[in-house]
Amino acid sequence: MFRKPARRWVLLAAVATIIVVQLTVLLRTSPDKLAGYAETVHRYKPAVHDDAGLWNKLHNQRLPHKSEQKKCSEIKIPKSYWATTAASTPAFVTIPDAGQINVDDTVCIRVVVPARKQRVHMAYTPFPNTPWDSVLLDLVGQRTGVSVPVRLQPAMDIRNTFRDESHVYEADVRLRDVDEYRVEGYVEFRDALWNCDGELAPADYIPEPLHIPSTLRVDVVDPQKTSTYNLERYMELPLCTDLDVEGRWVSSDALSFDTDLVPPPDDHGRVWLPYTCRLRRIEYGEFMQCLKQQYPLMHWYGDSNLRRVLKKLTTRGAWCGTSDEHQTRTCICEDYKEEFTPFNATYRELIIDFDESGGQMVSNKDADFLHVPDNQTRIYYHKWEGLSSKNKPAWQTPFEESVTSRFGVPSVAMISLTNWDAAFDTRAHFALELERLFGIVRQEYPPTTELIIRTGQYFCCRSDYDPPDTRAYSRLRNAYFDQYVVAAFQEQFGHTHKVRVWNVASISEHRPWSYRNETTECNSNHARSELVEIENQVLFNAMCN
């Protein structure tokens, strides 16, 4: 007669444990709330396993009508998912409410990675509240080629916190383009092998196929023909004024308007079009006029990716400006040893003055560095390797004598991190260095200075073994460093300064996988010059519209 109460107490204890775990997550500081960023497109399309027995056993939910669309949190996870093992079941994708939805609805995507009791790697651990497994996943439009990254997060269940259990990941994905979407992707790493923090070596990149039935699809419809995301109505959208907007890559052949009205296409003839605002093509001369009137002085801190931006600016877009040049190694990847007249790329500190003809490094040591010449704009550029120990001298050395006392108080301070930090630093040490940077920013830049935080470049589809300095890159590791930086800056300065995020990683993340894979041939992980131009156009629009 005591069995039922005993079961009830066991159940209550389990529920209490889950609540404590979830409260612990919620009470963490914002920079540590790094759950679930980029899940992207699919490199090799894994064989589709149409095992009806497996499908029927693990997917016993009926397909809902459009009016029954639910969030992942509202859809119960079948018990059978947690009982799967890698010995009998491959990792698989499920869409509980697959079928037809309206434009701008969300669809729940789940991935189950069955427990693997053997060959478990114990040395690697994920960051707090991040997944054990790295799953790269996209929803790909079959007619438009639009690729939508599925940014998976661990489902809220205590079993997801254990290394040797089955793991369930999920995401509510919003779809805005009319099309039939199918799933593409694979498991990049298990057992937190994506996070080689500290002395750990990068793990071999050996993708594991996902079970993706050929019948798994989502049809997005616009029955009333009222969607504001219709490309026919793109020119009706307001101009973009934000640096971080969701968009998609669309073939220029699919556009009914003059493509000269929007930023130029990438190397595959696709243009980047945000969903809620319109990018216009801004010529470099117009941008220089805008800077002169609104941003006469800026301070930029960044690595070689900002150097490539500055090469475009100083030459008014002429650097890597022809189709023949686009195919050179300099424009595709590595420009460090290139002879470049407007400025010396080896210098740690540069003053570059711009006028209508372009930009030129100020080489006169007796020049007035505190005052911008009439009818010009100025960028103080400090080249660094993030906040890592790779900086020679240390990254904080220029601040020992106040930067603003030497070069003036700017209207904008741009700060670019992640690329070197994720590659060569531990998350714990980086957090300490970031705190030191916050103190310097508070001291140097008053609330009148706008802060622009530039993300790192998107990384995927390989491990880095480039000698002599092997980089700890992985898609998730870089993404979580980005999230940490953005959340920390917004928490520290969002109430005193205008803080904006130049999200160049998201722009690349939305490209079809085969295009993103081009960077595997570039050890520096630089964006090729056509993409640099598109990233610049996003900056131009946000600053000048």
Side-chain angles (χ1 to χ4, degrees):
M1 62 179 175
F2 294 103
R3 289 182 180 175
K4 290 185 178 179
R7 290 176 181 169
R8 189 175 297 117
W9 280 110
V10 171
L11 177 60
L12 288 173
V15 171
T17 302
I18 293 172
I19 291 173
V20 169
V21 171
Q22 293 180 351
L23 285 174
T24 301
V25 171
L26 292 173
L27 290 172
R28 292 184 183 274
T29 57
S30 295
D32 283 329
K33 295 178 184 176
L34 302 177
Y37 188 70
E39 251 62 65
T40 323
V41 181
H42 151 158
R43 156 177 177 160
Y44 68 85
K45 295 188 178 180
V48 173
H49 306 283
D50 282 319
D51 184 338
L54 173 70
W55 184 249
N56 292 334
K57 179 175 65 175
L58 296 174
H59 305 75
N60 51 16
Q61 296 161 323
R62 67 185 180 88
L63 298 183
H65 298 294
K66 289 182 291 184
S67 60
E68 298 178 26
Q69 287 306 122
K70 294 180 179 180
K71 302 290 186 182
C72 288
S73 60
E74 301 172 313
I75 303 173
K76 185 177 180 180
I77 299 174
K79 292 181 179 179
S80 58
Y81 289 5
W82 302 107
T84 57
T85 63
S88 59
T89 307
F92 63 88
V93 181
T94 175
I95 305 179
D97 51 1
Q100 191 179 86
I101 65 172
N102 286 324
V103 164
D104 215 24
D105 280 347
T106 61
V107 62
C108 174
I109 310 292
R110 282 192 176 133
V111 173
V112 180
V113 181
R116 187 173 63 182
K117 302 300 182 181
Q118 289 77 34
R119 295 188 297 119
V120 175
H121 299 270
M122 302 301 294
Y124 297 78
T125 57
F127 296 136
N129 311 317
T130 63
W132 287 101
D133 312 296
S134 176
V135 181
L136 188 154
L137 206 68
D138 278 340
L139 285 174
V140 180
Q142 300 304 291
R143 294 186 294 275
T144 62
V146 167
S147 182
V148 182
V150 181
R151 294 162 179 168
L152 295 164
Q153 301 182 30
M156 292 299 291
D157 190 290
I158 194 171
R159 285 167 287 196
N160 269 332
T161 65
F162 301 120
R163 183 191 297 267
D164 58 353
E165 294 288 338
S166 294
H167 301 136
V168 179
Y169 305 107
E170 60 188 19
D172 294 306
V173 183
R174 187 173 302 279
L175 297 173
R176 298 179 174 94
D177 291 291
V178 174
D179 207 336
E180 175 190 303
Y181 292 86
R182 295 182 181 271
V183 183
E184 296 182 0
Y186 53 87
V187 179
E188 294 185 291
F189 299 102
R190 286 177 176 256
D191 302 328
L193 289 173
W194 58 267
N195 188 31
C196 46
D197 211 36
E199 299 300 320
L200 295 171
D204 291 336
Y205 195 82
I206 307 175
E208 176 185 334
L210 282 167
H211 175 91
I212 307 174
S214 60
T215 55
L216 200 63
R217 69 178 188 273
V218 179
D219 293 314
V220 180
V221 298
D222 179 23
Q224 304 301 320
K225 308 297 182 183
T226 57
S227 171
T228 57
Y229 309 125
N230 190 318
L231 291 176
E232 298 292 331
R233 304 178 63 182
Y234 184 74
M235 300 307 292
E236 301 172 14
L237 294 174
L239 291 172
C240 294
T241 58
D242 197 350
L243 279 165
D244 185 9
V245 290
E246 284 288 314
R248 75 291 213 190
W249 290 92
V250 179
S251 172
S252 57
D253 294 336
L255 304 180
S256 60
F257 49 82
D258 186 351
T259 55
D260 288 341
L261 298 174
V262 295
D266 67 2
D267 52 308
H268 295 280
R270 286 183 171 266
V271 293
W272 173 248
L273 301 179
Y275 283 110
T276 57
C277 63
R278 173 169 58 91
L279 289 175
R280 64 187 180 96
R281 187 177 303 193
I282 296 179
E283 301 298 336
Y284 282 82
E286 180 184 348
F287 182 60
M288 293 305 163
Q289 284 293 326
C290 163
L291 293 184
K292 183 172 66 175
Q293 296 168 9
Q294 300 184 54
Y295 310 97
L297 176 62
M298 296 188 289
H299 290 183
W300 286 18
Y301 302 89
D303 54 29
S304 52
N305 291 282
L306 275 188
R307 179 184 71 220
R308 291 168 74 84
V309 172
L310 284 169
K311 286 187 174 183
K312 280 287 190 183
L313 291 183
T314 53
T315 61
R316 293 171 56 99
W319 178 74
C320 291
T322 69
S323 56
D324 288 340
E325 289 172 330
H326 290 167
Q327 307 309 314
T328 64
R329 183 66 177 171
T330 292
C331 300
I332 292 174
C333 174
E334 191 52 76
D335 61 297
Y336 179 69
K337 296 182 180 180
E338 175 192 30
E339 292 186 9
F340 191 71
T341 304
F343 63 83
N344 189 324
T346 65
Y347 285 13
R348 282 290 174 179
E349 287 188 312
L350 290 172
I351 295 292
I352 303 176
D353 285 344
F354 295 84
D355 57 23
E356 286 76 6
S357 63
Q360 190 71 39
M361 179 179 71
V362 178
S363 56
N364 182 3
K365 295 182 179 180
D366 297 323
D368 183 358
F369 293 122
L370 278 174
H371 300 94
V372 181
D374 292 340
N375 297 316
Q376 293 190 10
T377 190
R378 172 175 287 176
I379 293 178
Y380 161 73
Y381 170 56
H382 176 68
K383 166 71 165 58
W384 67 14
E385 280 74 55
L387 308 182
S388 73
S389 59
K390 294 292 183 179
N391 286 286
K392 305 295 181 186
W395 67 266
Q396 63 270 27
T397 300
F399 299 103
E400 292 175 356
E401 182 183 353
S402 170
V403 170
T404 50
S405 67
R406 291 185 292 142
F407 302 116
V409 178
S411 50
V412 168
M414 183 183 296
I415 299 171
S416 177
L417 295 167
T418 291
N419 297 308
W420 284 76
D421 307 293
F424 298 113
D425 212 347
T426 66
R427 230 290 294 275
H429 183 261
F430 175 68
L432 294 175
E433 295 299 288
L434 195 59
E435 284 293 333
R436 298 178 68 181
L437 178 62
F438 290 158
I440 291 171
V441 171
R442 290 191 195 95
Q443 179 178 328
E444 295 280 358
Y445 299 115
T448 53
T449 297
E450 176 184 338
L451 304 179
I452 294 179
I453 311 305
R454 178 183 160 113
T455 66
Q457 297 300 134
Y458 176 80
F459 181 89
C460 88
C461 317
R462 64 185 171 103
S463 292
D464 187 280
Y465 309 108
D466 183 30
D469 295 320
T470 299
R471 300 170 176 90
Y473 284 149
S474 78
R475 183 181 57 86
L476 279 189
R477 181 175 167 85
N478 286 34
Y480 284 128
F481 264 77
D482 271 342
Q483 256 196 337
Y484 184 89
V485 170
V486 169
F489 266 96
Q490 289 174 336
E491 181 180 86
Q492 294 290 325
F493 298 101
H495 61 291
T496 58
H497 294 65
K498 183 177 182 180
V499 179
R500 294 204 282 178
V501 180
W502 187 8
N503 197 342
V504 296
S506 179
I507 295 174
S508 290
E509 182 191 11
H510 282 78
R511 302 184 82 199
W513 180 90
S514 59
Y515 303 167
R516 282 174 282 162
N517 192 46
E518 294 169 351
T519 60
T520 60
E521 300 176 4
C522 178
N523 288 330
S524 301
N525 199 44
H526 287 147
R528 57 184 298 148
S529 59
E530 299 97 321
L531 200 58
V532 173
E533 175 65 30
I534 295 165
E535 294 169 351
N536 284 357
Q537 287 291 322
V538 172
L539 178 69
F540 296 176
N541 275 259
M543 297 184 74
C544 298
N545 279 339

